[in-house]
mmCIF file with all atom_site columns, all heavy atoms in Angstrom:
data_model
loop_
_atom_site.group_PDB
_atom_site.id
_atom_site.type_symbol
_atom_site.label_atom_id
_atom_site.label_alt_id
_atom_site.label_comp_id
_atom_site.label_asym_id
_atom_site.label_entity_id
_atom_site.label_seq_id
_atom_site.pdbx_PDB_ins_code
_atom_site.Cartn_x
_atom_site.Cartn_y
_atom_site.Cartn_z
_atom_site.occupancy
_atom_site.B_iso_or_equiv
_atom_site.pdbx_formal_charge
_atom_site.auth_seq_id
_atom_site.auth_comp_id
_atom_site.auth_asym_id
_atom_site.auth_atom_id
_atom_site.pdbx_PDB_model_num
ATOM 1   N N   . PHE A 1 20 ? 7.587  49.510 -68.879 1.00 89.00 ? 20 PHE A N   1
ATOM 2   C CA  . PHE A 1 20 ? 7.829  48.176 -68.330 1.00 89.00 ? 20 PHE A CA  1
ATOM 3   C C   . PHE A 1 20 ? 8.566  47.278 -69.310 1.00 89.00 ? 20 PHE A C   1
ATOM 4   O O   . PHE A 1 20 ? 9.392  46.467 -68.905 1.00 89.00 ? 20 PHE A O   1
ATOM 5   C CB  . PHE A 1 20 ? 6.520  47.529 -67.865 1.00 89.00 ? 20 PHE A CB  1
ATOM 6   C CG  . PHE A 1 20 ? 6.108  47.984 -66.496 1.00 89.00 ? 20 PHE A CG  1
ATOM 7   C CD1 . PHE A 1 20 ? 4.992  48.768 -66.324 1.00 89.00 ? 20 PHE A CD1 1
ATOM 8   C CD2 . PHE A 1 20 ? 6.854  47.642 -65.386 1.00 89.00 ? 20 PHE A CD2 1
ATOM 9   C CE1 . PHE A 1 20 ? 4.612  49.198 -65.065 1.00 89.00 ? 20 PHE A CE1 1
ATOM 10  C CE2 . PHE A 1 20 ? 6.493  48.064 -64.121 1.00 89.00 ? 20 PHE A CE2 1
ATOM 11  C CZ  . PHE A 1 20 ? 5.365  48.846 -63.958 1.00 89.00 ? 20 PHE A CZ  1
ATOM 12  N N   . ASN A 1 21 ? 8.295  47.410 -70.591 1.00 92.00 ? 21 ASN A N   1
ATOM 13  C CA  . ASN A 1 21 ? 8.998  46.576 -71.567 1.00 92.00 ? 21 ASN A CA  1
ATOM 14  C C   . ASN A 1 21 ? 10.460 46.972 -71.726 1.00 92.00 ? 21 ASN A C   1
ATOM 15  O O   . ASN A 1 21 ? 11.257 46.191 -72.243 1.00 92.00 ? 21 ASN A O   1
ATOM 16  C CB  . ASN A 1 21 ? 8.271  46.571 -72.911 1.00 92.00 ? 21 ASN A CB  1
ATOM 17  C CG  . ASN A 1 21 ? 7.092  45.624 -72.897 1.00 92.00 ? 21 ASN A CG  1
ATOM 18  O OD1 . ASN A 1 21 ? 7.121  44.592 -72.243 1.00 92.00 ? 21 ASN A OD1 1
ATOM 19  N ND2 . ASN A 1 21 ? 6.046  45.978 -73.609 1.00 92.00 ? 21 ASN A ND2 1
ATOM 20  N N   . GLU A 1 22 ? 10.840 48.159 -71.282 1.00 92.00 ? 22 GLU A N   1
ATOM 21  C CA  . GLU A 1 22 ? 12.244 48.573 -71.305 1.00 92.00 ? 22 GLU A CA  1
ATOM 22  C C   . GLU A 1 22 ? 13.013 48.036 -70.105 1.00 92.00 ? 22 GLU A C   1
ATOM 23  O O   . GLU A 1 22 ? 14.236 48.096 -70.069 1.00 92.00 ? 22 GLU A O   1
ATOM 24  C CB  . GLU A 1 22 ? 12.349 50.103 -71.344 1.00 92.00 ? 22 GLU A CB  1
ATOM 25  C CG  . GLU A 1 22 ? 11.901 50.695 -72.665 1.00 92.00 ? 22 GLU A CG  1
ATOM 26  C CD  . GLU A 1 22 ? 11.807 52.219 -72.631 1.00 92.00 ? 22 GLU A CD  1
ATOM 27  O OE1 . GLU A 1 22 ? 11.951 52.833 -71.536 1.00 92.00 ? 22 GLU A OE1 1
ATOM 28  O OE2 . GLU A 1 22 ? 11.569 52.805 -73.691 1.00 92.00 ? 22 GLU A OE2 1
ATOM 29  N N   . GLN A 1 23 ? 12.300 47.501 -69.100 1.00 90.00 ? 23 GLN A N   1
ATOM 30  C CA  . GLN A 1 23 ? 12.944 46.994 -67.888 1.00 90.00 ? 23 GLN A CA  1
ATOM 31  C C   . GLN A 1 23 ? 13.450 45.570 -68.120 1.00 90.00 ? 23 GLN A C   1
ATOM 32  O O   . GLN A 1 23 ? 12.849 44.795 -68.851 1.00 90.00 ? 23 GLN A O   1
ATOM 33  C CB  . GLN A 1 23 ? 11.966 47.019 -66.707 1.00 90.00 ? 23 GLN A CB  1
ATOM 34  C CG  . GLN A 1 23 ? 11.319 48.367 -66.445 1.00 90.00 ? 23 GLN A CG  1
ATOM 35  C CD  . GLN A 1 23 ? 12.322 49.484 -66.280 1.00 90.00 ? 23 GLN A CD  1
ATOM 36  O OE1 . GLN A 1 23 ? 13.249 49.393 -65.470 1.00 90.00 ? 23 GLN A OE1 1
ATOM 37  N NE2 . GLN A 1 23 ? 12.158 50.544 -67.054 1.00 90.00 ? 23 GLN A NE2 1
ATOM 38  N N   . GLN A 1 24 ? 14.531 45.243 -67.458 1.00 91.00 ? 24 GLN A N   1
ATOM 39  C CA  . GLN A 1 24 ? 15.127 43.908 -67.560 1.00 91.00 ? 24 GLN A CA  1
ATOM 40  C C   . GLN A 1 24 ? 14.222 42.875 -66.901 1.00 91.00 ? 24 GLN A C   1
ATOM 41  O O   . GLN A 1 24 ? 13.779 43.057 -65.777 1.00 91.00 ? 24 GLN A O   1
ATOM 42  C CB  . GLN A 1 24 ? 16.501 43.923 -66.871 1.00 91.00 ? 24 GLN A CB  1
ATOM 43  C CG  . GLN A 1 24 ? 17.257 42.643 -66.990 1.00 91.00 ? 24 GLN A CG  1
ATOM 44  C CD  . GLN A 1 24 ? 17.860 42.474 -68.364 1.00 91.00 ? 24 GLN A CD  1
ATOM 45  O OE1 . GLN A 1 24 ? 18.029 43.415 -69.109 1.00 91.00 ? 24 GLN A OE1 1
ATOM 46  N NE2 . GLN A 1 24 ? 18.187 41.239 -68.695 1.00 91.00 ? 24 GLN A NE2 1
ATOM 47  N N   . GLY A 1 25 ? 13.932 41.767 -67.591 1.00 91.00 ? 25 GLY A N   1
ATOM 48  C CA  . GLY A 1 25 ? 13.185 40.662 -67.012 1.00 91.00 ? 25 GLY A CA  1
ATOM 49  C C   . GLY A 1 25 ? 11.693 40.874 -66.891 1.00 91.00 ? 25 GLY A C   1
ATOM 50  O O   . GLY A 1 25 ? 11.033 40.169 -66.138 1.00 91.00 ? 25 GLY A O   1
ATOM 51  N N   . ILE A 1 26 ? 11.165 41.861 -67.617 1.00 92.00 ? 26 ILE A N   1
ATOM 52  C CA  . ILE A 1 26 ? 9.726  42.142 -67.551 1.00 92.00 ? 26 ILE A CA  1
ATOM 53  C C   . ILE A 1 26 ? 9.150  42.147 -68.960 1.00 92.00 ? 26 ILE A C   1
ATOM 54  O O   . ILE A 1 26 ? 9.736  42.711 -69.882 1.00 92.00 ? 26 ILE A O   1
ATOM 55  C CB  . ILE A 1 26 ? 9.440  43.500 -66.861 1.00 92.00 ? 26 ILE A CB  1
ATOM 56  C CG1 . ILE A 1 26 ? 9.815  43.403 -65.384 1.00 92.00 ? 26 ILE A CG1 1
ATOM 57  C CG2 . ILE A 1 26 ? 7.995  43.906 -67.033 1.00 92.00 ? 26 ILE A CG2 1
ATOM 58  C CD1 . ILE A 1 26 ? 9.514  44.639 -64.584 1.00 92.00 ? 26 ILE A CD1 1
ATOM 59  N N   . HIS A 1 27 ? 8.000  41.503 -69.093 1.00 93.00 ? 27 HIS A N   1
ATOM 60  C CA  . HIS A 1 27 ? 7.241  41.537 -70.342 1.00 93.00 ? 27 HIS A CA  1
ATOM 61  C C   . HIS A 1 27 ? 5.849  42.062 -70.015 1.00 93.00 ? 27 HIS A C   1
ATOM 62  O O   . HIS A 1 27 ? 5.098  41.432 -69.264 1.00 93.00 ? 27 HIS A O   1
ATOM 63  C CB  . HIS A 1 27 ? 7.147  40.146 -70.977 1.00 93.00 ? 27 HIS A CB  1
ATOM 64  C CG  . HIS A 1 27 ? 6.261  40.090 -72.177 1.00 93.00 ? 27 HIS A CG  1
ATOM 65  N ND1 . HIS A 1 27 ? 6.544  40.766 -73.342 1.00 93.00 ? 27 HIS A ND1 1
ATOM 66  C CD2 . HIS A 1 27 ? 5.086  39.469 -72.388 1.00 93.00 ? 27 HIS A CD2 1
ATOM 67  C CE1 . HIS A 1 27 ? 5.572  40.547 -74.215 1.00 93.00 ? 27 HIS A CE1 1
ATOM 68  N NE2 . HIS A 1 27 ? 4.681  39.762 -73.656 1.00 93.00 ? 27 HIS A NE2 1
ATOM 69  N N   . ALA A 1 28 ? 5.518  43.220 -70.543 1.00 91.00 ? 28 ALA A N   1
ATOM 70  C CA  . ALA A 1 28 ? 4.201  43.824 -70.343 1.00 91.00 ? 28 ALA A CA  1
ATOM 71  C C   . ALA A 1 28 ? 3.431  43.761 -71.656 1.00 91.00 ? 28 ALA A C   1
ATOM 72  O O   . ALA A 1 28 ? 4.018  43.902 -72.729 1.00 91.00 ? 28 ALA A O   1
ATOM 73  C CB  . ALA A 1 28 ? 4.350  45.278 -69.889 1.00 91.00 ? 28 ALA A CB  1
ATOM 74  N N   . PHE A 1 29 ? 2.128  43.529 -71.556 1.00 93.00 ? 29 PHE A N   1
ATOM 75  C CA  . PHE A 1 29 ? 1.323  43.449 -72.769 1.00 93.00 ? 29 PHE A CA  1
ATOM 76  C C   . PHE A 1 29 ? -0.134 43.784 -72.481 1.00 93.00 ? 29 PHE A C   1
ATOM 77  O O   . PHE A 1 29 ? -0.596 43.694 -71.347 1.00 93.00 ? 29 PHE A O   1
ATOM 78  C CB  . PHE A 1 29 ? 1.426  42.058 -73.405 1.00 93.00 ? 29 PHE A CB  1
ATOM 79  C CG  . PHE A 1 29 ? 0.918  40.923 -72.560 1.00 93.00 ? 29 PHE A CG  1
ATOM 80  C CD1 . PHE A 1 29 ? -0.383 40.462 -72.708 1.00 93.00 ? 29 PHE A CD1 1
ATOM 81  C CD2 . PHE A 1 29 ? 1.734  40.307 -71.629 1.00 93.00 ? 29 PHE A CD2 1
ATOM 82  C CE1 . PHE A 1 29 ? -0.856 39.414 -71.936 1.00 93.00 ? 29 PHE A CE1 1
ATOM 83  C CE2 . PHE A 1 29 ? 1.278  39.260 -70.863 1.00 93.00 ? 29 PHE A CE2 1
ATOM 84  C CZ  . PHE A 1 29 ? -0.026 38.811 -71.011 1.00 93.00 ? 29 PHE A CZ  1
ATOM 85  N N   . LEU A 1 30 ? -0.814 44.206 -73.522 1.00 91.00 ? 30 LEU A N   1
ATOM 86  C CA  . LEU A 1 30 ? -2.257 44.415 -73.475 1.00 91.00 ? 30 LEU A CA  1
ATOM 87  C C   . LEU A 1 30 ? -2.882 43.115 -73.966 1.00 91.00 ? 30 LEU A C   1
ATOM 88  O O   . LEU A 1 30 ? -2.641 42.708 -75.099 1.00 91.00 ? 30 LEU A O   1
ATOM 89  C CB  . LEU A 1 30 ? -2.668 45.574 -74.388 1.00 91.00 ? 30 LEU A CB  1
ATOM 90  C CG  . LEU A 1 30 ? -2.072 46.925 -74.033 1.00 91.00 ? 30 LEU A CG  1
ATOM 91  C CD1 . LEU A 1 30 ? -2.366 47.942 -75.123 1.00 91.00 ? 30 LEU A CD1 1
ATOM 92  C CD2 . LEU A 1 30 ? -2.608 47.403 -72.700 1.00 91.00 ? 30 LEU A CD2 1
ATOM 93  N N   . PRO A 1 31 ? -3.638 42.422 -73.119 1.00 91.00 ? 31 PRO A N   1
ATOM 94  C CA  . PRO A 1 31 ? -4.179 41.123 -73.537 1.00 91.00 ? 31 PRO A CA  1
ATOM 95  C C   . PRO A 1 31 ? -5.153 41.271 -74.696 1.00 91.00 ? 31 PRO A C   1
ATOM 96  O O   . PRO A 1 31 ? -6.038 42.121 -74.676 1.00 91.00 ? 31 PRO A O   1
ATOM 97  C CB  . PRO A 1 31 ? -4.872 40.601 -72.278 1.00 91.00 ? 31 PRO A CB  1
ATOM 98  C CG  . PRO A 1 31 ? -5.141 41.805 -71.458 1.00 91.00 ? 31 PRO A CG  1
ATOM 99  C CD  . PRO A 1 31 ? -4.083 42.807 -71.793 1.00 91.00 ? 31 PRO A CD  1
ATOM 100 N N   . MET A 1 32 ? -4.956 40.444 -75.709 1.00 94.00 ? 32 MET A N   1
ATOM 101 C CA  . MET A 1 32 ? -5.788 40.497 -76.905 1.00 94.00 ? 32 MET A CA  1
ATOM 102 C C   . MET A 1 32 ? -6.233 39.093 -77.276 1.00 94.00 ? 32 MET A C   1
ATOM 103 O O   . MET A 1 32 ? -5.678 38.114 -76.786 1.00 94.00 ? 32 MET A O   1
ATOM 104 C CB  . MET A 1 32 ? -5.007 41.119 -78.058 1.00 94.00 ? 32 MET A CB  1
ATOM 105 C CG  . MET A 1 32 ? -4.475 42.506 -77.754 1.00 94.00 ? 32 MET A CG  1
ATOM 106 S SD  . MET A 1 32 ? -3.618 43.215 -79.140 1.00 94.00 ? 32 MET A SD  1
ATOM 107 C CE  . MET A 1 32 ? -4.970 44.094 -79.867 1.00 94.00 ? 32 MET A CE  1
#
Side-chain angles (χ1 to χ4, degrees):
F20 278 112
N21 280 327
E22 290 171 352
Q23 306 306 307
Q24 184 76 20
I26 292 183
H27 174 65
F29 62 95
L30 299 171
M32 303 182 93

